[in-house]
PDB file of all heavy atoms in Angstrom:
ATOM      1  N   ILE O 806       5.358  37.116 -33.449  1.00  0.00           N
ATOM      2  CA  ILE O 806       4.465  36.006 -33.330  1.00  0.00           C
ATOM      3  C   ILE O 806       4.750  34.945 -34.460  1.00  0.00           C
ATOM      4  O   ILE O 806       4.907  35.392 -35.576  1.00  0.00           O
ATOM      5  CB  ILE O 806       2.979  36.484 -33.434  1.00  0.00           C
ATOM      6  CG1 ILE O 806       2.760  37.507 -32.262  1.00  0.00           C
ATOM      7  CG2 ILE O 806       1.965  35.330 -33.258  1.00  0.00           C
ATOM      8  CD1 ILE O 806       1.402  38.181 -32.257  1.00  0.00           C
ATOM      9  N   PHE O 807       4.830  33.755 -34.090  1.00  0.00           N
ATOM     10  CA  PHE O 807       5.135  32.713 -35.009  1.00  0.00           C
ATOM     11  C   PHE O 807       4.069  31.619 -34.990  1.00  0.00           C
ATOM     12  O   PHE O 807       3.910  30.836 -34.114  1.00  0.00           O
ATOM     13  CB  PHE O 807       6.475  31.948 -34.531  1.00  0.00           C
ATOM     14  CG  PHE O 807       7.625  32.935 -34.556  1.00  0.00           C
ATOM     15  CD1 PHE O 807       8.053  33.499 -33.294  1.00  0.00           C
ATOM     16  CD2 PHE O 807       8.292  33.267 -35.702  1.00  0.00           C
ATOM     17  CE1 PHE O 807       9.101  34.470 -33.245  1.00  0.00           C
ATOM     18  CE2 PHE O 807       9.354  34.205 -35.660  1.00  0.00           C
ATOM     19  CZ  PHE O 807       9.722  34.696 -34.421  1.00  0.00           C
ATOM     20  N   PRO O 808       3.244  31.573 -36.152  1.00  0.00           N
ATOM     21  CA  PRO O 808       2.232  30.550 -36.234  1.00  0.00           C
ATOM     22  C   PRO O 808       2.793  29.196 -36.886  1.00  0.00           C
ATOM     23  O   PRO O 808       2.094  28.279 -37.095  1.00  0.00           O
ATOM     24  CB  PRO O 808       1.279  31.196 -37.227  1.00  0.00           C
ATOM     25  CG  PRO O 808       1.978  32.111 -38.008  1.00  0.00           C
ATOM     26  CD  PRO O 808       3.126  32.669 -37.084  1.00  0.00           C
ATOM     27  N   TYR O 809       4.083  29.151 -37.096  1.00  0.00           N
ATOM     28  CA  TYR O 809       4.791  28.012 -37.690  1.00  0.00           C
ATOM     29  C   TYR O 809       6.019  27.646 -36.850  1.00  0.00           C
ATOM     30  O   TYR O 809       6.744  28.478 -36.335  1.00  0.00           O
ATOM     31  CB  TYR O 809       5.208  28.190 -39.044  1.00  0.00           C
ATOM     32  CG  TYR O 809       4.166  28.331 -40.099  1.00  0.00           C
ATOM     33  CD1 TYR O 809       3.568  29.637 -40.358  1.00  0.00           C
ATOM     34  CD2 TYR O 809       3.846  27.339 -40.828  1.00  0.00           C
ATOM     35  CE1 TYR O 809       2.562  29.761 -41.296  1.00  0.00           C
ATOM     36  CE2 TYR O 809       2.843  27.520 -41.976  1.00  0.00           C
ATOM     37  CZ  TYR O 809       2.255  28.648 -42.044  1.00  0.00           C
ATOM     38  OH  TYR O 809       1.214  28.850 -43.005  1.00  0.00           O
ATOM     39  N   THR O 810       6.207  26.314 -36.633  1.00  0.00           N
ATOM     40  CA  THR O 810       7.575  25.990 -35.983  1.00  0.00           C
ATOM     41  C   THR O 810       8.705  25.989 -37.047  1.00  0.00           C
ATOM     42  O   THR O 810       9.768  26.311 -36.813  1.00  0.00           O
ATOM     43  CB  THR O 810       7.378  24.557 -35.372  1.00  0.00           C
ATOM     44  OG1 THR O 810       7.002  23.624 -36.393  1.00  0.00           O
ATOM     45  CG2 THR O 810       6.449  24.544 -34.229  1.00  0.00           C
ATOM     46  N   ASP O 811       8.403  25.551 -38.245  1.00  0.00           N
ATOM     47  CA  ASP O 811       9.344  25.600 -39.393  1.00  0.00           C
ATOM     48  C   ASP O 811       8.589  25.494 -40.618  1.00  0.00           C
ATOM     49  O   ASP O 811       7.392  25.518 -40.610  1.00  0.00           O
ATOM     50  CB  ASP O 811      10.268  24.219 -39.222  1.00  0.00           C
ATOM     51  CG  ASP O 811      11.531  24.380 -39.900  1.00  0.00           C
ATOM     52  OD1 ASP O 811      11.763  25.353 -40.717  1.00  0.00           O
ATOM     53  OD2 ASP O 811      12.402  23.521 -39.724  1.00  0.00           O
ATOM     54  N   PHE O 812       9.268  25.404 -41.764  1.00  0.00           N
ATOM     55  CA  PHE O 812       8.475  25.408 -43.048  1.00  0.00           C
ATOM     56  C   PHE O 812       7.626  24.174 -43.140  1.00  0.00           C
ATOM     57  O   PHE O 812       7.910  23.001 -42.732  1.00  0.00           O
ATOM     58  CB  PHE O 812       9.496  25.302 -44.243  1.00  0.00           C
ATOM     59  CG  PHE O 812      10.032  26.605 -44.601  1.00  0.00           C
ATOM     60  CD1 PHE O 812      11.002  27.236 -43.752  1.00  0.00           C
ATOM     61  CD2 PHE O 812       9.537  27.399 -45.587  1.00  0.00           C
ATOM     62  CE1 PHE O 812      11.561  28.471 -44.072  1.00  0.00           C
ATOM     63  CE2 PHE O 812       9.937  28.640 -45.877  1.00  0.00           C
ATOM     64  CZ  PHE O 812      10.971  29.160 -45.083  1.00  0.00           C
ATOM     65  N   ASN O 813       6.290  24.354 -43.549  1.00  0.00           N
ATOM     66  CA  ASN O 813       5.246  23.436 -43.667  1.00  0.00           C
ATOM     67  C   ASN O 813       4.935  22.784 -42.382  1.00  0.00           C
ATOM     68  O   ASN O 813       4.493  21.605 -42.309  1.00  0.00           O
ATOM     69  CB  ASN O 813       5.622  22.387 -44.720  1.00  0.00           C
ATOM     70  CG  ASN O 813       5.753  23.050 -46.053  1.00  0.00           C
ATOM     71  OD1 ASN O 813       4.904  23.736 -46.591  1.00  0.00           O
ATOM     72  ND2 ASN O 813       6.911  22.745 -46.821  1.00  0.00           N
ATOM     73  N   SER O 814       5.253  23.449 -41.251  1.00  0.00           N
ATOM     74  CA  SER O 814       4.785  22.911 -39.891  1.00  0.00           C
ATOM     75  C   SER O 814       4.044  23.931 -39.148  1.00  0.00           C
ATOM     76  O   SER O 814       4.710  24.702 -38.281  1.00  0.00           O
ATOM     77  CB  SER O 814       6.121  22.578 -39.207  1.00  0.00           C
ATOM     78  OG  SER O 814       6.841  21.563 -39.835  1.00  0.00           O
ATOM     79  N   PRO O 815       2.778  24.032 -39.265  1.00  0.00           N
ATOM     80  CA  PRO O 815       2.058  24.946 -38.468  1.00  0.00           C
ATOM     81  C   PRO O 815       2.157  24.782 -36.963  1.00  0.00           C
ATOM     82  O   PRO O 815       2.344  23.534 -36.498  1.00  0.00           O
ATOM     83  CB  PRO O 815       0.576  24.774 -38.868  1.00  0.00           C
ATOM     84  CG  PRO O 815       0.707  24.174 -40.264  1.00  0.00           C
ATOM     85  CD  PRO O 815       1.951  23.336 -40.256  1.00  0.00           C
ATOM     86  N   GLN O 816       2.176  25.849 -36.200  1.00  0.00           N
ATOM     87  CA  GLN O 816       2.312  25.615 -34.743  1.00  0.00           C
ATOM     88  C   GLN O 816       0.951  26.063 -34.085  1.00  0.00           C
ATOM     89  O   GLN O 816       0.384  27.029 -34.359  1.00  0.00           O
ATOM     90  CB  GLN O 816       3.315  26.707 -34.242  1.00  0.00           C
ATOM     91  CG  GLN O 816       3.393  26.943 -32.729  1.00  0.00           C
ATOM     92  CD  GLN O 816       4.059  25.770 -32.030  1.00  0.00           C
ATOM     93  OE1 GLN O 816       5.038  25.169 -32.418  1.00  0.00           O
ATOM     94  NE2 GLN O 816       3.471  25.478 -30.931  1.00  0.00           N
ATOM     95  N   LYS O 817       0.509  25.049 -33.260  1.00  0.00           N
ATOM     96  CA  LYS O 817      -0.769  25.206 -32.534  1.00  0.00           C
ATOM     97  C   LYS O 817      -0.467  24.981 -31.084  1.00  0.00           C
ATOM     98  O   LYS O 817      -0.112  23.856 -30.647  1.00  0.00           O
ATOM     99  CB  LYS O 817      -1.851  24.182 -32.960  1.00  0.00           C
ATOM    100  CG  LYS O 817      -2.193  24.354 -34.489  1.00  0.00           C
ATOM    101  CD  LYS O 817      -3.270  25.421 -34.704  1.00  0.00           C
ATOM    102  CE  LYS O 817      -3.641  25.401 -36.122  1.00  0.00           C
ATOM    103  NZ  LYS O 817      -4.404  26.300 -36.656  1.00  0.00           N
ATOM    104  N   PRO O 818      -0.669  25.913 -30.187  1.00  0.00           N
ATOM    105  CA  PRO O 818      -0.924  27.276 -30.361  1.00  0.00           C
ATOM    106  C   PRO O 818       0.364  27.979 -30.962  1.00  0.00           C
ATOM    107  O   PRO O 818       1.408  27.509 -30.906  1.00  0.00           O
ATOM    108  CB  PRO O 818      -1.346  27.796 -29.044  1.00  0.00           C
ATOM    109  CG  PRO O 818      -0.623  26.913 -28.145  1.00  0.00           C
ATOM    110  CD  PRO O 818      -0.524  25.593 -28.796  1.00  0.00           C
ATOM    111  N   PRO O 819       0.106  29.279 -31.376  1.00  0.00           N
ATOM    112  CA  PRO O 819       1.289  29.986 -31.831  1.00  0.00           C
ATOM    113  C   PRO O 819       2.294  30.366 -30.804  1.00  0.00           C
ATOM    114  O   PRO O 819       1.986  30.198 -29.493  1.00  0.00           O
ATOM    115  CB  PRO O 819       0.684  31.298 -32.336  1.00  0.00           C
ATOM    116  CG  PRO O 819      -0.748  31.287 -32.097  1.00  0.00           C
ATOM    117  CD  PRO O 819      -1.097  29.974 -31.440  1.00  0.00           C
ATOM    118  N   LEU O 820       3.480  30.845 -31.189  1.00  0.00           N
ATOM    119  CA  LEU O 820       4.457  31.217 -30.243  1.00  0.00           C
ATOM    120  C   LEU O 820       4.671  32.669 -30.326  1.00  0.00           C
ATOM    121  O   LEU O 820       4.452  33.360 -31.359  1.00  0.00           O
ATOM    122  CB  LEU O 820       5.760  30.444 -30.529  1.00  0.00           C
ATOM    123  CG  LEU O 820       5.798  28.980 -30.528  1.00  0.00           C
ATOM    124  CD1 LEU O 820       7.116  28.447 -31.037  1.00  0.00           C
ATOM    125  CD2 LEU O 820       5.586  28.516 -29.108  1.00  0.00           C
ATOM    126  N   ILE O 821       5.101  33.386 -29.211  1.00  0.00           N
ATOM    127  CA  ILE O 821       5.251  34.775 -29.142  1.00  0.00           C
ATOM    128  C   ILE O 821       6.596  35.059 -28.453  1.00  0.00           C
ATOM    129  O   ILE O 821       6.977  34.227 -27.542  1.00  0.00           O
ATOM    130  CB  ILE O 821       4.123  35.493 -28.411  1.00  0.00           C
ATOM    131  CG1 ILE O 821       4.169  36.942 -28.540  1.00  0.00           C
ATOM    132  CG2 ILE O 821       3.921  35.032 -26.979  1.00  0.00           C
ATOM    133  CD1 ILE O 821       3.017  37.694 -28.123  1.00  0.00           C
ATOM    134  N   THR O 822       7.231  36.105 -28.747  1.00  0.00           N
ATOM    135  CA  THR O 822       8.491  36.440 -28.103  1.00  0.00           C
ATOM    136  C   THR O 822       8.300  36.696 -26.686  1.00  0.00           C
ATOM    137  O   THR O 822       7.320  37.374 -26.305  1.00  0.00           O
ATOM    138  CB  THR O 822       9.280  37.575 -28.746  1.00  0.00           C
ATOM    139  OG1 THR O 822       8.420  38.663 -28.994  1.00  0.00           O
ATOM    140  CG2 THR O 822       9.928  37.075 -30.040  1.00  0.00           C
ATOM    141  N   VAL O 823       9.165  36.276 -25.779  1.00  0.00           N
ATOM    142  CA  VAL O 823       9.079  36.536 -24.346  1.00  0.00           C
ATOM    143  C   VAL O 823       9.376  37.954 -24.062  1.00  0.00           C
ATOM    144  O   VAL O 823       8.628  38.669 -23.251  1.00  0.00           O
ATOM    145  CB  VAL O 823      10.084  35.582 -23.585  1.00  0.00           C
ATOM    146  CG1 VAL O 823      10.074  35.902 -22.196  1.00  0.00           C
ATOM    147  CG2 VAL O 823       9.764  34.176 -23.794  1.00  0.00           C
ATOM    148  N   LYS O 824      10.341  38.594 -24.775  1.00  0.00           N
ATOM    149  CA  LYS O 824      10.659  39.988 -24.625  1.00  0.00           C
ATOM    150  C   LYS O 824      10.557  40.668 -25.963  1.00  0.00           C
ATOM    151  O   LYS O 824      10.802  39.973 -26.971  1.00  0.00           O
ATOM    152  CB  LYS O 824      12.073  40.061 -24.069  1.00  0.00           C
ATOM    153  CG  LYS O 824      12.299  39.543 -22.774  1.00  0.00           C
ATOM    154  CD  LYS O 824      13.720  39.655 -22.285  1.00  0.00           C
ATOM    155  CE  LYS O 824      13.989  38.953 -20.926  1.00  0.00           C
ATOM    156  NZ  LYS O 824      15.444  38.886 -20.620  1.00  0.00           N
TER     157      LYS O 824
END
Side-chain angles (χ1 to χ4, degrees):
I806 299 171
F807 301 96
Y809 292 82
T810 54
D811 202 349
F812 278 81
N813 297 310
S814 299
Q816 169 71 40
K817 300 274 184 192
L820 300 172
I821 188 168
T822 48
V823 174
K824 298 177 184 172

